[in-house]
């Protein structure tokens, strides 16, 4: 088997060594245009998991690496004159040149041909004479570019500039330095890789970089200015370069990783921001997986299919975490008002991979200090810290998110709603929200949607609030909305967003644009009389809600319903005072908010749910979302409930754990407005982490409460909490401990001497 490797970085060299070790008969050649000791950067960080794989795959390489490692456990965050340390993390690093030397030697010992200082033939040419071509030619891969029609790469640029430097600064921890300069916030990422030598990466947003004049400086001048700006961090030690240039990180994603006999590995296939670890780590893991699949599968196509199937989910997970980390550093300026302990916790949990519980296992003293700083009582998880919203005090920070049940009859909630919402109130959440309750028959999404536009509706809702207040400690909130152009559709389980087969009612919207052209009906554009009539429907429903006993009212301005459609430029094409720029698009939702706020009791809070992005080009942006939140807060909103999307049918959301949280995070920390965050929050550990990091004030969970109505009570039991923020109903008190499992954990009988 003839194998060509394009690129002599760690990924390409390690792939060649492994493949030759597994089958010495293989003819393997590596082409690398650089010299043996040419390298970018200084130190390489590898995880214990990666090292375990290396040890198993090639003990010779592992032993050679092990002899070179610098190890440490702490992360130090230097912020505003204080140093916050978190321990128990476990890192290993070594000089990148030494890593290359070890891999060069291993390849030579095994009989791999190394053609250094030689640009190899193109992948297509090599594929004509080789059984396999491994493209390990980096983030600027010429192989990927030459076959872009097959690999279909997506290259995404980002907002920060960075430069990779070295230093003689002695370190015994991974260190983050946050420096507030006259130009803006800058950060240093530093770690040791051998005695007396450290990597020191300087990073900042591009506008800060421009204000500091780095665009006009050469390498030596940039280093001198960085030394001056980070003088307080360097303690008299120097920075030095290695052909160091300022760059902007690019995230590389490919739809396919292989074609015929050519396969991409490492940065050629995918990149992950350096703030969560080394690209070298991913490249070497790729090499290991590729070698294993070639050994296990009957032919090259089967092996490459297996390789991509195995590695893609791992890489995509890493890239999601890396993007969250990258974006955190892009927005670091919004956190500089946080106290040092909270700032450090926020930084450590930025990727959402490291959590409160995870950090507590590593360093209990650190998390205890963060919790005290947050204001938690002793032995109280953060999620069970009370929160005051307007005139309402919630026992804890858990919200049962609004969830449409499609089970009302002519808008009237029935026994199902009583049991459904009553069960969640008994389940311990601080606030239980109704589904979107519609302000008129024509404002319903489906015939099964609940309403609040008749006396019968008001009486029925009173049954629900009376039960919640009498039998639980939960507050109960009313979400009011109007379906707009997304109305007159079937029940979700009969076809979500599908028009009714008959009995349709007319729709209204800011502009005559159907939700799905050719499928959903075209709404009528609201005129002055229509706008006034809908506004009156909202105020009438709010008055009914107040009389029905709801503790909180939320105005639904998200998910493409009527008020949301006014806010998005994709759905509001009006040319009058209610369209055009954001101020115009905000005008009607604010008028409705003001009208509802005027009739809603002053001692009861009012919140607004928004879609912070449309997940579609030309739609609502993050900056728009901040402006929308600022406007509603100025008009008296007590909190902003930050959701995303569902505005247009062709959206492309970027799903992932807590994927909507960054939008709430920015609004909270930029505006100082209380927020409710939603979106794939599933564990109590996530809730505690988000709260302690200062990214939200309340966490709303939907599907977890469908799976387990007692989710909050069970979270308390699992954390050994039995305080006043999560009281078990007296009738359920006997079940407040987890039932014992079967006897599978009993001692096994002795069967041998």
């Amino acid at each position: 088997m003839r194998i060509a490797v394009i690129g002599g970085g760690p990924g390409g060299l390690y792939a060649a060594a492994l493949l030759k070790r597994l089958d010495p008969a293989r003819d393997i050649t590596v082409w690398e245009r650089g010299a043996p000791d040419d390298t970018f950067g200084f130190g390489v960080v590898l995880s214990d998991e990666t090292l375990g794989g290396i040890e198993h795959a090639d003990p010779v390489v592992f032993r050679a690496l092990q002899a070179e490692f610098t190890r440490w456990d702490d992360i130090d965050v230097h912020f505003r004159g204080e140093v916050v340390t978190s321990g128990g993390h476990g890192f290993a690093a070594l000089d990148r040149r030494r890593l290359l030397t070890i891999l060069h030697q291993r390849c030579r010992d095994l009989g791999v041909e190394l053609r250094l200082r030689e640009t190899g033939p193109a992948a297509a040419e090599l594929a004509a004479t080789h059984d396999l071509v491994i493209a390990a030619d980096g983030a600027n891969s010429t192989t990927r570019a030459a076959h872009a029609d097959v690999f279909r790469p997506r290259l995404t640029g980002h907002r920060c500039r960075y430069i990779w430097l070295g230093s003689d600064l002695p370190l015994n921890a991974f260190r983050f330095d946050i420096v507030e300069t006259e130009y803006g916030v800058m950060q240093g990422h530093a770690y040791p890789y051998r005695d007396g030598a450290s990597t020191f990466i300087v990073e900042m947003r591009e506008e800060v970089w421009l204000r500091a004049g780095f665009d006009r400086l050469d390498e030596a001048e940039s280093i001198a200015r960085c030394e001056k700006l980070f003088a307080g961090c360097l303690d008299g030690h120097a920075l030095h370069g290695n052909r160091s240039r300022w760059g902007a990180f690019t995230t590389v994603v490919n739809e396919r990783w292989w074609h015929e006999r050519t396969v991409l590995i490492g940065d050629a296939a995918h990149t992950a921001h350096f703030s969560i670890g080394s690209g070298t780590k991913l490249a070497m893991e790729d090499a290991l997986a590729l070698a294993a699949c070639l050994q296990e599968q009957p032919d090259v196509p089967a092996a490459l299919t297996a390789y991509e199937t195995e590695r893609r989910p791992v890489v995509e997970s890493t890239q999601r975490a890396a993007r969250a980390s990258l974006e955190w550093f892009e927005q670091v300026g919004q956190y500089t008002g946080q106290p040092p302990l909270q700032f450090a916790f926020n930084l450590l949990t930025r990727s959402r991979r490291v959590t409160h519980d995870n950090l507590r296992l590593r360093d209990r003293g650190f998390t205890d200090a963060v919790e005290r700083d947050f204001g938690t009582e002793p032995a109280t998880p953060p999620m069970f810290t009370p929160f005051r919203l307007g005139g309402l005090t919630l026992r804890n920070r858990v919200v049962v998110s609004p969830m449409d049940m499609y089970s009302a009859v002519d808008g009237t909630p029935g026994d199902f709603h009583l049991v459904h919402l009553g069960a969640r109130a008994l389940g311990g959440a601080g606030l239980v929200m109704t589904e979107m309750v519609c302000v008129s028959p024509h404002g319903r999404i489906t015939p099964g949607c609940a309403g609040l536009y008749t006396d019968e509706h008001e009486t029925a809702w009173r049954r629900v609030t009376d039960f919640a207040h009498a039998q639980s400690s939960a507050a109960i909130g009313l979400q009011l909305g109007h379906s707009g152009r997304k109305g007159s559709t079937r029940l979700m389980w009969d076809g979500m967003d599908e028009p009714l087969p008959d009995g349709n009612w007319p729709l209204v919207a800011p502009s005559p644009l159907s939700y799905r052209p050719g499928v959903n009906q075209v709404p009528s554009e609201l005129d002055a009389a229509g706008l006034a009539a809908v506004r009156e429907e909202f105020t009438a429903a709010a008055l009914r809600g107040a009389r029905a006993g709801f503790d909180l009212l939320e105005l639904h301005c998200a998910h493409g319903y009527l008020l949301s459609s006014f806010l998005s430029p994709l759905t509001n094409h009006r040319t009058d005072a209610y369209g055009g720029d954001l101020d115009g698009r905000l005008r009607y939702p604010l008028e409705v908010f003001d009208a509802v706020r005027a009739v809603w009791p002053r001692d009861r809070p009012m919140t607004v749910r928004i879609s912070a992005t449309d997940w579609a080009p030309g739609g609502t942006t993050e900056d728009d979302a901040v402006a929308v939140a600022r406007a509603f807060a100025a008009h008296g909103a007590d909190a902003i409930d930050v959701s995303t999307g569902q505005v247009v049918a062709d959206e492309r959301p970027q799903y992932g754990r807590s994927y909507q949280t960054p939008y709430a995070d920015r609004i909270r920390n930029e505006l100082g407005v209380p927020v409710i965050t939603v979106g794939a929050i599933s564990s109590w550990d996530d809730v505690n982490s988000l709260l302690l990091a200062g990214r939200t004030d309340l966490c709303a969970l939907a599907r977890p409460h469908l799976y387990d109505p007692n989710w909050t009570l069970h979270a308390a039991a699992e954390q050994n909490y039995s305080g006043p923020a999560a009281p078990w109903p007296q009738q359920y008190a006997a079940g407040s401990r987890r039932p014992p499992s079967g006897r599978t954990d009993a001692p096994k009988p002795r069967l041998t001497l």
Side-chain angles (χ1 to χ4, degrees):
M1 188 177 188
R2 299 193 71 210
I3 299 174
V5 181
I6 305 173
L13 292 169
Y14 190 49
L18 287 177
L19 288 165
K20 187 70 171 176
R21 177 175 181 268
L22 290 169
D23 185 351
R26 288 169 173 154
D27 179 355
I28 303 177
T29 305
V30 177
W31 277 270
E32 168 54 52
R33 63 184 180 182
D37 58 350
D38 279 356
T39 183
F40 170 74
F42 299 89
V44 175
V45 179
L46 297 174
S47 69
D48 287 342
E49 182 180 35
T50 304
L51 293 174
I54 292 173
E55 182 178 19
H56 183 266
D58 192 339
V60 173
V61 170
F62 176 77
R63 286 193 295 271
L65 294 176
Q66 193 175 39
E68 302 283 342
F69 279 137
T70 295
R71 291 185 176 272
W72 69 96
D73 290 320
D74 290 348
I75 296 176
D76 289 344
V77 179
H78 291 239
F79 176 60
R80 295 210 160 170
E82 294 192 31
V83 180
V84 178
T85 299
S86 172
H89 295 276
F91 293 99
L94 76 160
D95 189 315
R96 188 178 180 88
R97 288 190 178 91
R98 285 296 301 146
L99 172 62
L100 290 174
T101 298
I102 289 167
L103 293 174
H104 284 145
Q105 189 60 51
R106 184 59 171 153
C107 284
R108 291 190 183 97
D109 290 346
L110 291 167
V112 173
E113 182 180 357
L114 298 180
R115 296 191 177 183
L116 306 178
R117 298 190 181 89
E118 183 177 342
T119 299
E125 184 180 342
L126 289 170
T129 56
H130 289 75
D131 301 289
L132 176 65
V133 179
I134 300 173
D137 49 350
N140 298 314
S141 169
T142 56
T143 305
R144 185 185 66 227
H147 301 282
D149 58 323
V150 177
F151 297 125
R152 295 188 292 277
R154 297 196 309 276
L155 309 182
T156 305
H158 299 287
R159 300 175 182 176
C160 282
R161 292 278 185 156
Y162 68 94
I163 187 168
W164 208 290
L165 303 172
S167 177
D168 59 354
L169 176 69
L171 294 176
N172 58 3
F174 202 118
R175 178 166 149 177
F176 293 99
D177 291 284
I178 308 301
V179 179
E180 296 173 82
T181 74
E182 60 185 299
Y183 312 110
V185 181
M186 303 178 184
Q187 59 261 11
H189 310 244
Y191 57 86
Y193 62 87
R194 58 179 165 79
D195 288 345
S198 300
T199 294
F200 199 102
I201 306 165
V202 176
E203 184 182 32
M204 66 200 74
R205 281 182 67 117
E206 182 160 14
E207 58 267 30
V208 177
W209 180 77
L210 290 169
R211 285 196 293 267
F214 283 114
D215 58 318
R216 301 186 298 273
L217 305 182
D218 62 20
E219 180 183 13
E221 292 168 331
S222 288
I223 291 171
R225 182 157 295 181
C226 287
E227 284 182 336
K228 183 178 179 181
L229 290 165
F230 285 84
C233 312
L234 292 168
D235 194 26
H237 292 271
L239 295 174
H240 55 267
N242 174 20
R243 295 174 299 154
S244 301
R245 292 178 295 178
W246 289 99
F249 189 80
T250 300
T251 297
V252 175
V253 174
N254 286 279
E255 288 189 25
R256 286 196 64 181
W257 292 0
W258 68 277
H259 170 60
E260 295 179 348
R261 298 179 183 179
T262 301
V263 61
L264 306 177
I265 71 169
D267 284 353
H270 46 71
T271 59
H273 191 250
F274 54 80
S275 61
I276 70 158
S278 172
T280 301
K281 169 186 179 299
L282 284 177
M284 294 183 74
E285 290 174 353
D286 283 353
L288 198 156
L290 177 61
C293 290
L294 284 163
Q295 198 72 7
E296 295 162 358
Q297 300 299 324
D299 53 44
V300 168
L304 300 186
T305 299
Y307 157 70
E308 183 170 347
T309 301
E310 176 183 330
R311 286 294 292 163
R312 183 176 285 278
V314 176
V315 167
E316 288 177 346
S317 175
T318 301
Q319 287 188 308
R320 284 194 296 270
R323 187 179 183 99
S325 178
L326 174 155
E327 290 174 349
W328 191 93
F329 281 109
E330 286 181 339
Q331 304 292 345
V332 68
Q334 73 189 27
Y335 302 120
T336 53
Q338 292 185 331
L341 272 169
Q342 185 176 59
F343 181 90
F345 182 90
N346 194 354
L347 186 154
L348 293 173
T349 59
R350 67 195 181 278
S351 72
R352 302 193 286 275
R353 279 190 162 184
V354 176
T355 64
H356 168 256
D357 209 40
N358 187 273
L359 285 173
R360 185 169 56 177
L361 288 172
R362 301 180 190 197
D363 188 344
R364 182 64 178 263
F366 169 70
T367 54
D368 284 350
V370 174
E371 289 173 19
R372 285 194 301 271
D373 206 48
F374 181 75
T376 61
E377 295 293 328
T380 300
M383 65 188 291
F384 295 115
T385 303
F387 185 70
R388 187 168 180 82
L389 194 59
L392 177 67
T393 298
L394 303 175
R395 283 180 178 263
N396 60 56
R397 306 299 186 97
V398 178
V399 179
V400 176
S401 198
M403 295 175 280
D404 286 322
M405 293 290 109
Y406 309 105
S407 299
V409 178
D410 295 328
T412 305
D415 289 345
F416 179 89
H417 295 83
L418 175 63
V419 174
H420 166 67
L421 294 169
R424 273 90 198 147
L426 291 173
L431 174 64
V432 176
M433 293 298 301
T434 67
E435 60 196 89
M436 185 177 91
V437 174
C438 304
V439 298
S440 68
H442 289 177
R444 291 176 298 164
I445 309 166
T446 75
C449 286
L452 194 44
Y453 46 85
T454 71
D455 292 343
E456 183 183 3
H457 298 162
E458 181 182 323
T459 300
W461 282 117
R462 186 81 210 195
R463 288 179 71 211
V464 175
T465 62
D466 283 349
F467 178 88
H469 293 147
Q471 302 296 333
S472 81
S473 61
I476 186 157
L478 166 68
Q479 187 186 70
L480 278 185
H482 186 297
S483 62
R485 69 178 190 154
K486 293 179 74 176
S488 193
T489 60
R490 306 180 190 196
L491 305 184
M492 182 180 68
W493 42 83
D494 290 334
M496 187 172 177
D497 295 325
E498 292 292 327
L500 292 169
D502 53 61
N504 286 279
W505 53 84
L507 304 181
V508 295
S511 301
L513 304 169
S514 66
Y515 181 61
R516 291 178 301 170
V519 178
N520 300 98
Q521 68 174 280
V522 177
S524 299
E525 181 174 303
L526 281 165
D527 58 15
L531 293 170
V534 171
R535 187 171 59 244
E536 291 303 314
E537 290 170 351
F538 271 96
T539 57
L543 285 167
R544 292 184 185 279
R547 292 194 298 267
F550 286 103
D551 301 300
L552 172 149
L553 186 146
E554 179 166 280
L555 191 65
H556 201 337
C557 297
H559 299 169
Y561 299 121
L562 181 64
L563 299 181
S564 170
S565 293
F566 273 90
L567 294 171
S568 172
L570 297 178
T571 51
N572 183 344
H573 293 181
R574 298 175 76 101
T575 57
D576 63 4
Y578 294 103
D581 62 13
L582 184 57
D583 287 342
R585 301 196 307 273
L586 263 165
R587 189 182 308 276
Y588 185 66
L590 287 174
E591 286 182 2
V592 173
F593 179 90
D594 289 343
V596 171
R597 180 72 270 187
V599 302
W600 185 248
R602 299 305 304 176
D603 61 334
R604 302 187 209 178
M606 189 169 163
T607 65
V608 178
R609 174 169 276 203
I610 66 170
S611 283
T613 175
D614 295 339
W615 298 116
T620 297
T621 66
E622 290 183 53
D623 290 342
D624 291 339
V626 172
V628 168
R630 180 184 289 112
F632 279 115
H635 280 245
D638 294 285
I640 307 298
D641 185 355
V642 187
S643 186
T644 63
Q646 301 180 53
V647 174
V648 292
D650 58 347
E651 66 176 3
R652 296 189 65 179
Q654 296 174 2
Y655 293 117
R657 224 173 93 240
S658 308
Y659 71 104
Q660 296 179 129
T661 297
Y663 300 95
D665 183 351
R666 181 178 172 189
I667 288 168
R668 182 185 191 275
N669 285 288
E670 190 166 320
L671 303 182
V673 176
V675 297
I676 306 167
T677 192
V678 301
I681 303 167
S682 57
S683 73
W684 48 259
D685 192 20
D686 286 338
V687 174
N688 287 331
S689 301
L690 294 170
L691 292 169
L692 283 179
R695 296 177 193 161
T696 190
D697 298 284
L698 298 166
C699 288
L701 300 92
R703 287 180 176 86
H705 282 115
L706 294 179
Y707 179 76
D708 179 6
N710 296 313
W711 186 88
T712 307
L713 293 179
H714 291 156
E718 289 166 13
Q719 297 175 83
N720 298 313
Y721 174 75
S722 57
W728 281 73
Q730 290 181 346
Q731 300 90 329
Y732 291 175
S736 60
R737 293 190 205 172
R738 181 191 291 271
S741 61
R743 298 194 60 184
T744 55
D745 57 350
K748 301 293 187 294
R750 183 187 295 273
L751 300 178
T752 59
L753 292 176

